[in-house]
Amino acid sequence: MKIKVAPFMFVICFSLFMVLGVESAQSLFSDPPDTISDSDPLEEESLDPDTGEEPFLLLIQVDDLQGKASVLESVWLLGYGGQDGDLLFFPLLPSQAGDGKERDQDLKAAFQIQDGGRPPSGFFNLLKDRNLDWSGYLLIDQKGLALILRSLEGGAGMEGAQASLESFPAWGSASTGRGDDRIAQARFILNMCEKAAGINSSIFLEDMFTRIANHLIVEGTSRSALNQIWEPIVGGDGACQFPTLGE
């Protein structure tokens, strides 16, 4: 079942993306990483969904949810619910705005894991002040990502999954710049989307919520809603797209 969303919202969103001159993820990944720079003119304000209950989720990734002080490593906005079933990913950290470096620093400074495992309201307010909105969020750490990757790769060893994860500069020690990190994160997401094609989404999500419970925090959405969001991807009808990442 696909989530139904008011058609006018997508007309607005896609018209805006066309004005920005966005390109598909396929064209991005056929080009070398240096085609994206830290001075990309995209402003986060341009992603304002401007509706009531938004078909958007925040994807937040940290180094370790079990540590004393979790370090914020990436934030993406996920748009879903289009008629074609595509998932649209927009990078918020590293930001593509002209003052992205300062935005990233402010966002990291506002982030911490409070008692109960939730980020503080100030972190979310900072994003809302940039005219962003969402209906819920997923917060995951490096080990959680490695466990998901391990499951998608057919039960490969944990060491192999961790090594695969760290091969992407955003989560390893080879990070060379904010633009490169954005592309590395996008490639990692696309890799996981491709591996997810053909799996049993319902069983996978049930297993994921059980196995990585200590490495995942979910607010504002349900397991059944996530299953509906991912159904077009695992069924091969939809694709993961990165509209704002291009030349």
Side-chain angles (χ1 to χ4, degrees):
M1 180 178 69
K2 297 184 179 179
I3 295 177
K4 303 298 182 181
V5 178
F8 74 89
M9 191 204 72
F10 282 92
V11 172
I12 295 174
C13 287
F14 284 105
S15 297
L16 181 56
F17 298 156
M18 291 178 67
V19 172
L20 291 172
V22 299
E23 297 183 3
S24 67
Q26 285 83 353
S27 65
L28 162 67
F29 296 144
S30 64
D31 295 328
D34 60 4
T35 57
I36 295 182
S37 70
D38 290 342
S39 59
D40 288 335
L42 175 72
E43 292 290 336
E44 287 165 8
E45 282 79 359
S46 66
L47 301 180
D48 182 7
D50 196 25
T51 66
E53 185 176 351
E54 311 305 344
F56 285 86
L57 289 176
L58 274 181
L59 306 179
I60 307 167
Q61 188 260 320
V62 300
D63 61 340
D64 183 9
L65 278 173
Q66 302 303 306
K68 293 182 178 180
S70 299
V71 177
L72 183 66
E73 294 186 334
S74 73
V75 182
W76 289 74
L77 188 66
L78 166 63
Y80 60 90
Q83 292 184 353
D84 54 9
D86 288 350
L87 300 184
L88 308 178
F89 293 85
F90 305 94
L92 303 182
L93 177 72
S95 169
Q96 285 183 281
D99 59 346
K101 187 174 181 179
E102 290 74 20
R103 288 176 180 240
D104 291 352
Q105 292 172 346
D106 291 343
L107 205 57
K108 289 181 178 181
F111 183 85
Q112 61 178 322
I113 299 297
Q114 302 181 128
D115 293 340
R118 294 174 177 82
S121 58
F123 169 77
F124 295 114
N125 290 338
L126 187 57
L127 290 173
K128 289 181 178 180
D129 287 344
R130 299 174 185 177
N131 293 328
L132 299 172
D133 208 351
W134 55 89
S135 58
Y137 69 86
L138 279 74
L139 194 161
I140 192 168
D141 64 12
Q142 286 189 18
K143 189 170 183 179
L145 284 177
L147 286 168
I148 292 176
L149 187 61
R150 177 186 179 188
S151 296
L152 291 175
E153 291 181 341
M158 185 61 193
E159 291 184 2
Q162 187 66 36
S164 179
L165 178 68
E166 291 177 353
S167 68
F168 292 85
W171 293 286
S173 59
S175 179
T176 56
R178 296 171 58 257
D180 290 338
D181 284 354
R182 279 197 300 270
I183 296 179
Q185 291 173 12
R187 284 177 171 160
F188 181 82
I189 293 170
L190 182 61
N191 179 46
M192 296 188 75
C193 289
E194 292 173 344
K195 292 181 184 300
I199 68 171
N200 185 310
S201 178
S202 180
I203 293 177
F204 177 79
L205 286 174
E206 182 177 356
D207 179 63
M208 183 184 78
F209 273 80
T210 300
R211 294 177 60 198
I212 68 173
N214 294 329
H215 306 281
L216 176 70
I217 298 172
V218 180
E219 287 282 333
T221 189
S222 65
R223 192 178 308 179
S224 61
L226 291 174
N227 186 54
Q228 292 174 357
I229 292 170
W230 279 98
E231 186 178 287
I233 303 299
V234 301
D237 298 324
C240 293
Q241 304 282 351
F242 303 82
T244 61
L245 298 185
E247 291 182 339

